[in-house]
Amino acid sequence: MPTSEIIAPALPRNCTFAESDWRALAPFWYPIAFSREVTDKPFATKLLDERLVVFRANGKLTVARDLCLHRGAPLSSGWVEGGEIVCGYHGFRYNSEGQCVCIPAHPGAAIPPKLKVQIFPVQERYGLIWTRLVDNGPSPFPEFNSWDDANYLQVLPDSVELNASAGRQIEGFLDVSHFAFVHVGTFGELDNREVPSYPVELTPGGFRADYISTVSNYSTAFKHLNPPGFKWRRLFETWLPFTAKLTVFFPNDGQLHILNAASPVSARQTRVFVPICRNFDKDAPLQPTLDFNHQVFAEDKAIVEQQFPEDLPINLQDEVHIRADKSSITYRQGLAKLGLGRTFTA
Ligand code: FES
Ligand SMILES: [Fe+2]
């Protein structure tokens, strides 16, 4: 097909992203729900301002545009029956390919093939449902193999809802110079602020930063467990645009893996999913881990919701950078290569 005939998908109505940003972001995979949220009851959600409905019909997982083509009712207010989703307004039924297969008011009438709602690719991984709005070929999928490893304990905390952009959130997750300020209530150490230099290298999906310091990952009440002189290694791996994984190397070969998958609901609304795995304390009660994680993310939320401009500046001239910001400089450069930020937003 000549390229002039390829029609770019229309942007969602009331899209909060600049058009070039939306087109750059739409082909990537994002989590849109917990697996546990999606049953045979339609589940409504939103990604990049696109309203989506997610449901399981006869065991098949489907992500569709949450819009009945008849009179604009959301399919998520309908129900699932016989492997099909039924609109609650006039009962149109759509199969898992999105094709309308029944118009109850005219049972014998032919149904035009174009009466078809848009269906999106779907993957269920790490306790989450993932989708992408534009399928333009292979796209790197974030790796979190310990989720399926019996040597690890898997924990799925509640998601974190932010009135902030996904770019600002991820950059905060990669930031190593804020521990002694923002996280003194959890694991930060007031008297341990200096950031040693660290290497950053590019990877197929983004980059990795290997940060070694003496800031222990123990919470304030357990700092005494820190073996004197122990070097704490924190390995950050990113999959652009909005997913990062942190591996914290504990004493005695302990490893803690945290996936930070930020789902851009809109340009300034983000739902962060944080599956966690660890190969130690596997029989310990989970609540302290959930509480600790919740508090760390609450500390970050207080900052990220105040940052201005709300959008992450992609042009490096627009904010000041220090040596400790090597990760975030690389991050902004990576986003620029994706085509983001032509209009100062991400
Ligand atoms: S709006 Fe869905 S059937 Fe009429
Ligand atoms: Fe933080």
Side-chain angles (χ1 to χ4, degrees), residues 1-323:
M1 186 192 287
T3 48
S4 60
E5 286 180 31
I6 295 175
I7 299 163
L11 259 57
R13 266 183 84 80
N14 305 320
C15 184
T16 56
F17 294 86
E19 179 168 350
S20 57
D21 277 6
W22 192 91
R23 295 203 185 285
L25 293 171
F28 291 93
W29 289 98
Y30 305 100
I32 51 167
F34 287 111
S35 291
R36 62 175 183 242
E37 287 175 319
V38 178
T39 63
D40 60 356
K41 286 202 175 41
F43 177 82
T45 185
K46 207 197 260 186
L47 173 66
L48 295 169
D49 291 307
E50 185 69 82
R51 293 155 184 249
L52 301 172
V53 58
V54 195
F55 58 94
R56 297 179 201 267
N58 292 340
K60 187 176 186 306
L61 183 60
T62 300
V63 179
R65 257 184 106 198
D66 191 13
L67 185 74
C68 180
L69 297 168
H70 178 222
R71 287 292 179 269
L75 292 172
S76 56
S77 64
W79 61 91
V80 172
E81 192 179 286
E84 293 154 4
I85 188 161
V86 185
C87 178
Y89 196 176
H90 311 94
F92 282 32
R93 300 173 76 104
Y94 299 88
N95 67 16
S96 58
E97 276 76 57
Q99 178 63 48
C100 179
V101 291
C102 175
I103 298 175
H106 306 294
I111 299 173
K114 71 167 198 180
L115 200 48
K116 192 171 183 183
V117 292
Q118 190 175 356
I119 301 293
F120 299 96
V122 64
Q123 292 202 48
E124 187 164 17
R125 286 164 88 165
Y126 324 140
L128 308 173
I129 312 288
W130 301 68
T131 195
R132 59 194 298 216
L133 298 181
V134 170
D135 185 350
N136 60 356
S139 169
F141 200 94
E143 174 275 311
F144 198 54
N145 294 336
S146 47
W147 189 260
D148 301 304
D149 185 337
N151 295 314
Y152 283 77
L153 170 77
Q154 289 78 26
V155 186
L156 202 46
D158 286 341
S159 57
V160 183
E161 317 286 328
L162 299 175
N163 289 314
S165 69
R168 286 279 194 197
Q169 192 279 327
I170 287 285
E171 201 180 77
F173 183 75
L174 300 170
D175 185 292
V176 291
S177 62
H178 74 296
F179 300 164
F181 301 92
V182 174
H183 295 305
V184 275
T186 46
F187 70 96
E189 298 169 2
L190 260 180
D191 54 352
N192 194 349
R193 307 167 169 197
E194 194 170 333
V195 173
S197 62
Y198 56 91
V200 173
E201 70 185 54
L202 299 182
T203 60
F207 63 92
R208 48 189 268 154
D210 204 343
Y211 179 58
I212 294 173
S213 77
T214 54
V215 179
S216 91
N217 215 68
Y218 294 121
S219 62
T220 314
F222 292 93
K223 287 289 182 195
H224 60 278
L225 295 178
N226 190 29
F230 187 78
K231 296 279 192 226
W232 286 82
R233 179 178 177 211
R234 290 176 174 85
L235 176 64
F236 295 90
E237 296 165 271
T238 67
W239 288 267
L240 297 176
F242 300 140
T243 301
K245 172 182 157 186
L246 166 61
T247 303
V248 186
F249 296 82
F250 277 68
N252 306 315
D253 297 324
Q255 287 192 23
L256 171 70
H257 299 173
I258 304 172
L259 191 72
N260 182 116
S263 187
V265 176
S266 69
R268 292 176 186 176
Q269 254 187 305
T270 303
R271 186 178 186 196
V272 189
F273 295 89
V274 194
I276 296 173
C277 298
R278 68 174 183 232
N279 65 352
F280 56 94
D281 289 351
K282 286 162 67 181
D283 298 321
L286 280 186
Q287 200 55 46
T289 300
L290 294 170
D291 293 346
F292 180 76
N293 184 71
H294 178 79
Q295 202 184 335
V296 170
F297 276 83
E299 289 164 349
D300 287 322
K301 177 181 166 93
I303 293 289
V304 75
E305 290 191 340
Q306 294 183 77
Q307 283 177 279
F308 188 84
E310 299 91 332
D311 311 317
L312 187 72
I314 301 297
N315 182 347
L316 292 183
Q317 315 315 318
D318 288 330
E319 285 182 333
V320 172
H321 309 279
I322 58 174
R323 191 159 43 88

